[in-house]
Amino acid sequence: MTAPNHTLTHTHNFSNHNHHGEKRTFYVLLLTLTTMVVEIVAGTVYGSMALLADGWHMGTHAAAFCITLFAYRYAKKHQSNDRFSFGTGKVSVLGGYTSAIALGIVALLMFVESVHRLLNPQSIQFNEAIIVACVGLAVNVASMFLLGEHHDHDESHAHNHSHHHGHEHHHDHNLRAAYLHVLADALTSVTAIVALVLGKFYGWDWLDAAMGMVGAMVITKWTFSLIKQTSPILLDENIDSHYREAIQNELAPLANVTDLHVWRVSGHHYAAAITLVSKADISLDEYKQILSKFDKIDHLTLEVHSA
C-alpha cells in the first residue's frame, strides 16, 4: 500500500453576508420598538391593559430581531477569522435556530394564557381591543413587506467558490426566523380581530381564547419547521443517501470508496471528505475531474490510496 495522496481546495471561507436582510431587519426593529413605546406610553396614560399587553408583546419580537441582527454583525465581523474552519456561514443558521426556540416559547405562553382565559373568562373592552389588534396588524403587514420578498433568498451572492448553483435557493435561516416572528404576530392579530368582532356582536367571549389556542398551535408548527431546517446543518448531518450513492456509483468502476462524508458548512455550501482505494492507474486530477459533476460540493478533500 502506498502513502495516500491528498488534495483540497484552497477556499475555506463560506460566509455569505446578506446585506439586504440585515438592513431590512434593522428597519423592522425600529418600527417594532417605536410601536412598542407608543403602546406602552398610551396604555399607561389611558389605563388600558390591552395596549400595555400588546406593547410588551412587541418587546418579545424586538428581542428576536436583536438576535437576528447580532448574528449578522457577528458573522460579518469574523468572516475572515481563521478560528472558524469554514468561515461564519453557520452563524446565520444558529441565529435562525435560536429565534425558533424563542418563537416556540412565545407560542407556549400564548397557549397557556389562552387556556387560562378560557377557564377563567375576563371582561373584554371590545372597541379598544379591536383598535389595538388593527394597529398591530398594520405594523406587522409593513414588517412583512420589508422582510417577505427577501426572506427566502440570500441577496448578497458573495460566493467564495467556483461552482454556480443556479438551481438552488440560498436560504437565509436567520432572516426567515425574523420573518416567521412577524408572520406569527400578524396571524395573532388577524385571529384576534375575527374573535373580537364576533364576540362584540354575538357575545362569543370564549372565541378570543379559542382563537389564541389555534394561533399558538400554528406558530408551534412553524417553529418545528424552522428547527427541522436548521438543526441538521448545525449537527453536520450527511447529505441525502441518494447523492452519496451517486458519488459511489460514479467511482465504483475505478475505485473502492472506503469513507465518504458530505455535509453543510453553511446554509447552502457543502464540504466533502472522500477516501478511496484506486483500482486503476488514474491521477488525482482525473479523480477531481470525475467528481466535478457533483456541483453541490464546494470544498473537496480527497484521499487516494493505491493498491
Side-chain angles (χ1 to χ4, degrees):
M1 182 76 70
T2 63
N5 293 312
H6 303 270
T7 183
L8 51 89
T9 60
H10 296 289
T11 299
H12 296 83
N13 187 354
F14 297 102
S15 304
N16 244 2
H17 188 70
N18 190 344
H19 297 280
H20 291 278
E22 180 182 0
K23 183 170 65 175
R24 287 169 181 262
T25 301
F26 181 71
Y27 293 153
V28 171
L29 175 62
L30 291 180
L31 180 61
T32 302
L33 287 174
T34 301
T35 307
M36 180 189 77
V37 171
V38 169
E39 287 188 345
I40 291 176
V41 171
T44 303
V45 171
Y46 298 111
S48 169
M49 284 304 299
L51 278 171
L52 276 173
D54 198 62
W56 290 116
H57 178 69
M58 284 283 186
T60 63
H61 292 289
F65 299 143
C66 286
I67 292 174
T68 301
L69 286 173
F70 174 78
Y72 279 133
R73 302 289 170 84
Y74 187 89
K76 183 179 180 181
K77 180 179 179 181
H78 297 281
Q79 63 182 356
S80 300
N81 192 328
D82 60 8
R83 290 194 301 116
F84 298 93
S85 299
F86 294 100
T88 53
K90 283 190 178 181
V91 173
S92 172
V93 183
L94 181 59
Y97 180 86
T98 305
S99 291
I101 298 299
L103 189 63
I105 293 173
V106 170
L108 178 62
L109 294 176
M110 275 181 59
F111 189 84
V112 171
E113 177 63 21
S114 297
V115 171
H116 176 73
R117 292 201 173 200
L118 190 63
L119 298 176
N120 302 280
Q122 299 177 11
S123 60
I124 302 174
Q125 299 176 2
F126 288 104
N127 292 333
E128 186 180 66
I130 290 171
I131 292 173
V132 172
C134 289
V135 170
L137 180 60
V139 172
N140 290 315
V141 169
S143 299
M144 288 171 66
F145 178 78
L146 285 171
L147 297 177
E149 61 185 286
H150 292 276
H151 86 275
D152 213 24
H153 302 283
D154 187 347
E155 290 279 322
S156 65
H157 297 297
H159 301 297
N160 293 313
H161 54 86
S162 59
H163 299 295
H164 176 66
H165 303 299
H167 60 285
E168 290 187 2
H169 293 311
H170 293 160
H171 297 286
D172 184 339
H173 298 91
N174 196 33
L175 188 59
R176 178 164 179 76
Y179 179 81
L180 286 180
H181 273 274
V182 172
L183 186 60
D185 219 16
L187 173 68
T188 303
S189 297
V190 170
T191 56
I193 291 170
V194 172
L196 290 168
V197 170
L198 292 176
K200 177 182 178 180
F201 290 104
Y202 295 99
W204 298 347
D205 293 8
W206 56 268
L207 192 59
D208 183 55
M211 293 296 270
M213 293 168 65
V214 172
M217 288 186 286
V218 173
I219 294 169
T220 300
K221 182 179 178 181
W222 293 341
T223 298
F224 279 113
S225 175
L226 188 55
I227 289 175
K228 187 177 179 180
Q229 289 176 28
T230 53
S231 55
I233 302 173
L234 296 173
L235 295 172
D236 294 331
E237 182 180 274
N238 250 326
I239 200 169
D240 65 89
S241 58
H242 297 293
Y243 200 84
R244 283 178 282 134
E245 287 173 7
I247 294 174
Q248 289 179 318
N249 292 336
E250 188 71 25
L251 292 170
L254 305 171
N256 293 321
V257 179
T258 59
D259 197 27
L260 172 61
H261 302 280
V262 184
W263 72 100
R264 288 196 189 191
V265 291
S266 76
H268 50 270
H269 296 96
Y270 286 89
I274 304 173
T275 303
L276 52 88
V277 178
S278 183
K279 300 177 184 176
D281 186 17
I282 295 179
S283 69
L284 209 56
D285 288 337
E286 288 176 293
Y287 276 117
K288 289 169 60 180
Q289 185 61 36
I290 292 169
L291 292 170
S292 65
K293 65 180 292 184
F294 298 96
D295 60 354
K296 283 188 177 182
I297 299 175
D298 304 292
H299 184 279
L300 173 64
T301 301
L302 184 61
E303 181 177 325
V304 181
H305 296 265
S306 300

